[in-house]
Amino acid sequence: MFVKTAEFIGRAVKKPIEEVGQVILLLVSVIKQTIKPPYEIRNTAKQMVEIGINSLPVVIITAVFTGMVLALQSYTGFKRFGAEGLVGSVVALSMTRELGPVLCALIVTGRAGAAMAAELGTMRVTEQIDALETLAANPVKYLIVPRFLSGLIMMPALVIVTDIIGIMGGYFVTVTLLGASSTSYLNATWDYLEAADIYNGLIKAAFFGASFALISCYRGYYTRGGAEGVGKATIGAVVLSSMTILISDYFLSAWLF
């Protein structure tokens, strides 16, 4: 009984540790290939469009309604204490420090991360990656580095859009729908918002972008088991990336703010 329990615990612990080790090794390989010429500029630009430009519609819709809900809830609560003038600061700080980076990362992970894992997984099971290796091309440099760099660069850019749109959504609800003072909202936004709130949020976004791209590529690159394996890799990439974003958000927040 004791031996079987120990074996079960050992198997349960072994797989996550192996996966963490493989992800770290892949990260080291990606960093080496990123520095080493030639550079995949065209491929990277293509992935930046896929991750950044193509994610804009869903990011904008999420940001505007997040800012609107945040303003509505804050206004209702603060009105009880006569502090409606602080709604602008609450919306601005919440969007720049927390909601902007986290929500944007989760949305992009669900859209672009799943696509990355599915694409690389399909290439793996159809032996296209094996064919690249046969032609002496480095799959990590050609397939993973452009996606990693695109996630690292485009996520902060998307978060800037998210922050601005979210604050505008809060302005629309607070001023236009609830009739609060426009000057009060804007003053509260700028008086309490510091540069550190913005660039620390962008640091979080860059980390989230790099992590979701790396994990999604890892899951796709090591796909096994045909079409069923591609499906599992896609789901696993989204789940693991989302968990990594939420867990690391706590530690990054504790460190940066």
Side-chain angles (χ1 to χ4, degrees):
M1 182 67 181
F2 175 77
V3 174
K4 289 184 178 179
T5 304
E7 287 178 350
F8 175 77
I9 295 173
R11 286 195 296 269
V13 173
K14 181 183 176 184
K15 187 175 180 182
I17 292 176
E18 283 181 348
E19 283 203 322
V20 170
Q22 287 179 323
V23 171
I24 292 173
L25 290 175
L26 181 61
L27 175 62
V28 172
S29 178
V30 166
I31 293 173
K32 285 182 179 177
Q33 294 300 327
T34 301
I35 300 171
K36 186 178 176 183
Y39 305 109
E40 296 288 342
I41 296 176
R42 180 176 296 181
N43 202 3
T44 302
K46 179 183 174 184
Q47 293 301 324
M48 289 173 71
V49 171
E50 175 62 30
I51 293 174
I53 305 301
N54 293 346
S55 297
L56 267 179
V58 67
V59 166
I60 289 174
I61 292 172
T62 303
V64 69
F65 280 98
T66 300
M68 290 169 68
V69 169
L70 194 56
L72 184 62
Q73 295 283 17
S74 301
Y75 188 89
T76 304
F78 286 179
K79 193 176 181 180
R80 300 173 186 174
F81 311 102
E84 303 96 307
L86 294 176
V87 172
S89 61
V90 170
V91 173
L93 290 175
S94 300
M95 290 303 299
T96 54
R97 295 170 64 131
E98 186 63 32
L99 293 178
V102 173
L103 287 179
C104 187
L106 292 176
I107 292 167
V108 176
T109 295
R111 203 198 70 78
M116 283 183 194
E119 186 178 4
L120 293 185
T122 303
M123 293 182 71
R124 171 61 75 184
V125 299
T126 55
E127 300 182 351
Q128 293 181 57
I129 294 178
D130 297 331
L132 284 175
E133 293 173 342
T134 304
L135 294 172
N138 189 322
V140 172
K141 186 173 189 64
Y142 184 71
L143 297 174
I144 299 180
V145 168
R147 290 167 172 80
F148 178 80
L149 290 177
S150 301
L152 181 68
I153 296 169
M154 294 311 295
M155 189 66 77
L158 287 172
V159 167
I160 292 173
V161 175
T162 304
D163 292 346
I164 294 172
I165 297 295
I167 292 172
M168 290 172 63
Y171 177 90
F172 175 76
V173 169
T174 307
V175 177
T176 306
L177 299 185
L178 300 177
S181 167
S182 172
T183 304
S184 175
Y185 182 90
L186 294 176
N187 287 341
T189 299
W190 294 113
D191 288 347
Y192 294 96
L193 188 64
E194 298 179 358
D197 298 321
I198 298 172
Y199 64 71
N200 283 337
L202 297 181
I203 291 173
K204 290 170 70 173
F207 180 87
F208 295 156
S211 61
F212 101 80
L214 184 69
I215 291 170
S216 299
C217 289
Y218 161 75
R219 284 288 187 171
Y221 190 74
Y222 291 104
T223 296
R224 294 288 186 274
E228 184 181 356
V230 175
K232 289 181 180 178
T234 304
I235 295 171
V238 174
V239 172
L240 186 58
S241 297
S242 300
M243 289 176 62
T244 302
I245 289 167
L246 294 174
I247 293 171
S248 62
D249 178 52
Y250 170 79
F251 294 101
L252 288 171
S253 297
W255 174 49
L256 293 170
F257 298 105

